[in-house]
Amino acid sequence: MSSPLLQINDLSYSYHSLTGETYALSHVSFQIQPGEFVAIVGPSGCGKSTLLSLIAGLLTPENGQIVCTSSRIGYMLQRDHLFEWRTIYQNVCLGLEINHCATKEYLTYIDMLLKEYDLDAFRDKYPSELSGGMKQRAALIRTMALKPDLLLLDEPFSALDYQTRLQVSGDICQKIRDANKTALLITHDLSEAISLADRILVLTARPATILDDIGIQLTTTETGPLAARQAPEYGSYFDKLWKELTHGTT
Ligand code: ADP
Ligand code: MG
């Protein structure tokens, strides 16, 4: 087995405010291998976003360590956070601008991504002129533009309507796999987790601890979220996850 890209050891975190303390994460440990696509599910408010912010370096662990063999981490949030006053092209180039790396190589890569994500014809449009799915794809290009080795995705599809969500999530995940990236996807949608991930980490209610770590293997000839839902194993994974989230035990 290759060495892990990400190693989380005994991670704990609490928020402190004038009114008190919120214990969000408790002794969380896991590893992610290069190229793995891992989903995280857990009750609302259990500490999922906190975990991602810690991995992204936006928060400092109270206890424990985070070891990532790459410093190239891309973070994509629930809302697309595109700037309305910038065109799509100016939006997707934002990371390069901030990091002072708008070199010919990176700009060529952005051109390639715009074509691949079917947004090339919209590069000079503003976000308000695009559909929700298109904006989400633009946000992903902005994240991918810096060529991250690890992608952190915090409920990136939850602002989309159900039909668009099925299509865009399958599409985006396939692109992430094709590009051989390692990804950590937070979702509250169990079907999405089963159909997209290689592995699912189940968290308990706050403070989050790891309740289960489930490898997903589906027998399908076709790829994509709809095909995955037809796989014979799908139902038993769903039942298991549902019970774990409802009862808080494995
Ligand atoms: P999840 O993403 O699983 O819904 P979060 O990680 O956002 O949960 O939050 C975990 C807990 O920490 C929640 O109870 C939330 O209210 C609290 N929390 C989140 N961010 C802050 C903050 N900046 N200050 C204080 N408490 C926070
Ligand atoms: Mg969250």
Side-chain angles (χ1 to χ4, degrees), residues 11-47:
L11 191 65
S12 298
Y13 190 83
S14 304
Y15 291 98
H16 300 274
S17 70
L18 290 176
T19 47
E21 189 184 61
T22 306
Y23 191 12
L25 282 189
S26 174
H27 304 286
V28 169
S29 301
F30 63 91
Q31 298 187 346
I32 297 187
Q33 300 298 324
E36 263 192 311
F37 199 117
V38 178
I40 295 185
V41 300
S44 178
C46 75

Side-chain angles (χ1 to χ4, degrees), residues 56-124:
L58 302 177
L59 297 173
T60 310
E62 189 173 74
N63 176 75
Q65 298 96 31
I66 300 166
V67 183
C68 187
T69 56
S70 167
S71 57
R72 300 169 84 107
I73 297 178
Y75 195 1
M76 184 165 155
L77 302 169
Q78 193 163 351
R79 289 192 39 233
D80 55 66
H81 291 288
L82 297 174
F83 291 125
E84 293 297 336
W85 60 90
R86 286 182 152 237
T87 63
I88 294 305
Y89 187 69
Q90 289 167 340
N91 264 293
V92 298
C93 290
L94 188 66
L96 300 186
E97 244 174 79
I98 293 171
N99 288 284
H100 303 291
C101 62
T103 59
K104 198 163 166 232
E105 185 204 334
Y106 276 105
L107 293 172
T108 308
Y109 183 55
I110 284 196
D111 284 340
M112 199 265 303
L113 289 173
L114 282 166
K115 289 198 184 83
E116 197 182 310
Y117 289 46
D118 290 325
L119 285 177
D120 199 36
F122 296 85
R123 58 198 290 147
D124 297 322

Side-chain angles (χ1 to χ4, degrees), residues 142-161:
R142 187 184 50 193
T143 310
M144 295 287 256
L146 287 160
K147 302 189 178 178
D149 292 319
L150 175 64
L151 274 168
L152 304 175
L153 308 166
D154 194 348
E155 307 209 22
F157 312 121
S158 54
L160 305 175
D161 63 78

Side-chain angles (χ1 to χ4, degrees), residues 108-231:
T108 308
Y109 183 55
I110 284 196
D111 284 340
M112 199 265 303
L113 289 173
L114 282 166
K115 289 198 184 83
E116 197 182 310
Y117 289 46
D118 290 325
L119 285 177
D120 199 36
F122 296 85
R123 58 198 290 147
D124 297 322
K125 303 272 189 213
Y126 288 87
S128 61
E129 301 174 89
L130 269 60
S131 70
M134 291 162 93
K135 285 194 273 196
Q136 215 57 30
R137 293 206 299 273
L140 186 71
I141 295 179
R142 187 184 50 193
T143 310
M144 295 287 256
L146 287 160
K147 302 189 178 178
D149 292 319
L150 175 64
L151 274 168
L152 304 175
L153 308 166
D154 194 348
E155 307 209 22
F157 312 121
S158 54
L160 305 175
D161 63 78
Y162 187 69
Q163 215 176 338
T164 313
R165 182 182 179 129
L166 273 184
Q167 199 209 332
V168 173
S169 62
D171 206 46
I172 283 185
C173 290
Q174 194 54 48
K175 287 187 165 63
I176 291 171
R177 282 183 193 280
D178 291 346
N180 241 330
K181 303 286 181 197
T182 309
L184 195 49
L185 167 80
I186 292 181
T187 176
H188 59 256
D189 183 332
L190 301 184
S191 304
E192 190 169 281
I194 300 166
S195 59
L196 301 179
D198 304 314
R199 221 175 113 199
I200 302 179
L201 297 176
V202 186
L203 302 184
T204 62
R206 190 176 65 77
T209 57
I210 305 258
L211 180 65
D212 206 355
D213 184 343
I214 307 171
I216 302 293
Q217 268 165 336
L218 300 174
T219 325
T220 51
T221 45
E222 286 172 62
T223 56
L226 281 176
R229 284 164 169 76
Q230 306 301 323

